Amino acid sequence: MSVITVKDLDLKNKRVLVRVDFNVPLKEGKITDDTRMQRALPTLKYILEQEGASLIVMSHLGRPSEEREPQFSMKQLEAHLAEIAGVPVTTAPDCVGAEVEAMAAGLKAGEILLLENTRYHNAEKKNDPAFAEQMAKLADVYVNDAFGAAHRAHASTEGITKYLPSCAGFLMEKECMFFDKVLEAPEKPFVAIIGGAKVSSKIEVLESLIDKCNTFVIGGGMAYTFLKVQGYEIGNSLFEEEFMDTAKTFLANAEKAGVEVILPMDHVVADKFAEDADAVSVDEINIPAGMLAMDVGPKTIAAVKDRIAAAKTVVWNGPMGVFEFDKFAKGTAEVASFVADCAGTTVVGGGDSVAAVNKFKLADKIDHVSTGGGASLEYLEGKALPGVVALRK
Ligand code: AMP
């Protein structure tokens, strides 16, 4: 099901309020990575090009309290936004209230009013309807381009859609388009590569994809709970005892559904979890006592390579090993390069696999690298994202 976009609504002479994810990293008031701002730029520019349209931009930034600590002020983004958008930007003293309403009413076409941090109000996270209604008073149309915040039902992402005609920006549209494509009508073979530290944070993704995909590749620390329930020795590798039954049930359900599950069949291990630990190859499934798995080995990598090469759809969430340490990054680096080379539709979501793809400079060879860690995870879990529901056609 697709979403209503800025192209579906008439924005001529309208005041348009856009929720973006400008939660950028800052150091001493300076932006250290403006990727999130750049990603929203096509939507902002499109709105500014509509005849007579004026633009109000809002976002959260960090985790401030109602004390309004200045290190979370949106004012710090004003100059950079003006530079990349190429239009004058004024920062409002707040995101609601009479003074801001007057500023919005006086806004000229082709200008941007940047609202102050939405999280300076506790009402934002509480999705307080009165607060959402106050925000809605500022504009004629609401656009949500903040995929990274779409899994949260906040006033600026969900509440406000009850009071204004609402649609998605281009970034939100692209995110929804790719996730809908792989979840609703994936071309087969569909390979899901799920890694990362914990079974607990990924099990819902595994369960949700069981009747959709042909092959699961399970790597990273979470794989060792699955190996343990199969009776293998895992040494000191990551292990979640309370998820043993869940892992067992998942493996049984996958078998029943005829879904292949590839778990690590060889490993790179160490005697301690440390960057300077010696990397030791283990050429079998069992891991020696006292050692812990840090990465997958070459046999596992070769098996994964074949599946990805043949896939028409690949979804990847979570690294295959401790890729932050160079000695243990090979499995993740190789998987990233196979996904980049895959001719099918490739989607990477989740903070750490996105970080890996960026680390290995492969992002532009992947069809879609999601901008939302939590949001992409919940999408893959089959959950309806509150910030997306109201934008559906
Ligand atoms: P997640 O946020 O659940 O996707 O987990 C990502 C983290 O899992 C990364 O920081 C990896 O270093 C870590 N990780 C991957 N493989 C392992 C492993 N075998 N043992 C411990 N941690 C791992």
Side-chain angles (χ1 to χ4, degrees):
M1 205 187 0
S2 53
V3 287
I4 304 163
T5 80
V6 275
K7 292 209 165 158
D8 296 317
L9 299 186
D10 180 11
L11 303 181
K12 196 174 158 189
N13 296 323
K14 296 276 165 53
R15 228 183 298 141
V16 184
L17 174 55
V18 185
R19 171 58 156 104
V20 291
D21 178 5
F22 278 2
N23 186 25
V24 291
L26 291 161
K27 200 172 179 196
E28 286 156 17
K30 297 267 172 299
I31 300 161
T32 55
D33 178 356
D34 77 342
T35 309
R36 288 186 166 150
M37 296 177 77
Q38 294 288 351
R39 293 285 194 113
L41 208 51
T43 301
L44 304 186
K45 287 197 162 165
Y46 174 84
I47 294 165
L48 289 167
E49 282 161 11
Q50 306 309 301
E51 193 186 330
S54 54
L55 181 55
I56 304 171
V57 173
M58 68 172 164
S59 177
H60 72 284
L61 178 61
R63 293 163 183 251
S65 70
E66 289 205 318
E67 300 300 316
R68 299 177 172 234
E69 301 94 326
Q71 71 267 32
F72 299 115
S73 171
M74 296 297 291
K75 179 87 182 160
Q76 300 166 100
L77 277 49
E78 181 185 281
H80 191 62
L81 179 58
E83 189 186 323
I84 61 175
V87 298
V89 177
T90 310
T91 308
D94 203 345
C95 61
V96 289
E99 190 181 351
V100 187
E101 282 171 33
M103 289 176 89
L107 190 61
K108 293 197 193 72
E111 288 183 0
I112 297 179
L113 178 65
L114 178 61
L115 301 186
E116 193 45 282
N117 198 335
T118 56
R119 289 198 191 159
Y120 275 171
H121 295 261
N122 288 340
E124 158 74 339
K125 282 193 180 181
K126 288 186 187 144
N127 199 4
D128 177 343
F131 180 65
E133 194 173 9
Q134 267 192 301
M135 280 177 174
K137 275 194 197 168
L138 300 172
D140 307 305
V141 175
Y142 168 75
V143 178
N144 191 346
D145 215 18
F147 181 74
H151 56 310
R152 306 213 158 97
H154 290 174
S156 70
T157 58
E158 197 270 342
I160 190 167
T161 62
K162 308 219 165 58
Y163 303 99
L164 282 177
S166 303
C167 67
F170 297 124
L171 174 60
M172 180 71 92
E173 180 192 21
K174 183 174 181 245
E175 294 273 7
C176 295
M177 200 260 286
F178 272 102
F179 282 109
D180 288 345
K181 185 174 174 186
V182 299
L183 293 174
E184 288 169 12
E187 268 196 272
K188 307 283 181 103
F190 177 1
V191 178
I193 309 158
I194 310 295
K198 290 190 167 168
V199 180
S200 43
S201 60
K202 302 289 164 74
I203 187 67
E204 287 185 62
V205 174
L206 292 173
E207 285 168 349
S208 137
L209 295 179
I210 210 162
D211 57 354
K212 295 184 169 67
C213 70
N214 305 93
T215 300
F216 281 109
V217 174
I218 303 180
M222 64 182 281
Y224 297 90
T225 299
F226 290 91
L227 288 179
K228 175 104 172 173
V229 302
Q230 291 185 327
Y232 294 106
E233 298 296 332
I234 63 164
N236 292 340
S237 304
L238 272 190
F239 171 58
E240 287 166 275
E241 188 166 9
E242 63 283 20
F243 278 86
M244 278 186 85
D245 286 344
T246 313
K248 209 181 278 175
T249 306
F250 169 78
L251 291 172
N253 288 342
E255 193 176 347
K256 226 182 285 162
V259 181
E260 179 187 33
V261 178
I262 298 183
L263 287 161
M265 49 196 94
D266 56 352
H267 324 268
V268 180
V269 305
D271 62 355
K272 56 181 180 182
F273 187 91
E275 191 153 19
D276 64 354
D278 286 332
V280 178
S281 295
V282 173
D283 190 25
E284 60 157 318
I285 303 184
N286 290 302
I287 293 174
M291 305 299 268
L292 64 138
M294 298 287 276
D295 196 8
V296 293
K299 278 198 285 197
T300 312
I301 292 172
V304 176
K305 181 179 186 176
D306 287 348
R307 303 311 189 282
I308 297 176
K312 293 228 166 66
T313 304
V314 175
V315 166
W316 179 25
N317 184 306
M320 295 293 99
V322 186
F323 75 103
E324 298 94 333
F325 301 163
D326 287 345
K327 280 183 198 165
F328 306 105
K330 190 163 195 281
T332 304
E334 295 271 38
V335 165
S337 74
F338 305 151
V339 175
D341 289 341
C342 175
T345 303
T346 50
V347 176
V348 178
D352 273 309
S353 26
V354 172
V357 157
N358 289 331
K359 175 172 170 165
F360 306 121
K361 303 201 169 18
L362 292 166
D364 56 358
K365 293 177 109 187
I366 287 161
D367 291 316
H368 184 59
V369 179
S370 180
T371 56
S376 68
L377 203 60
E378 290 198 18
Y379 223 126
L380 293 175
E381 287 169 354
K383 293 183 181 150
L385 306 194
V388 173
V389 172
L391 315 176
R392 292 287 188 195
K393 273 189 178 154

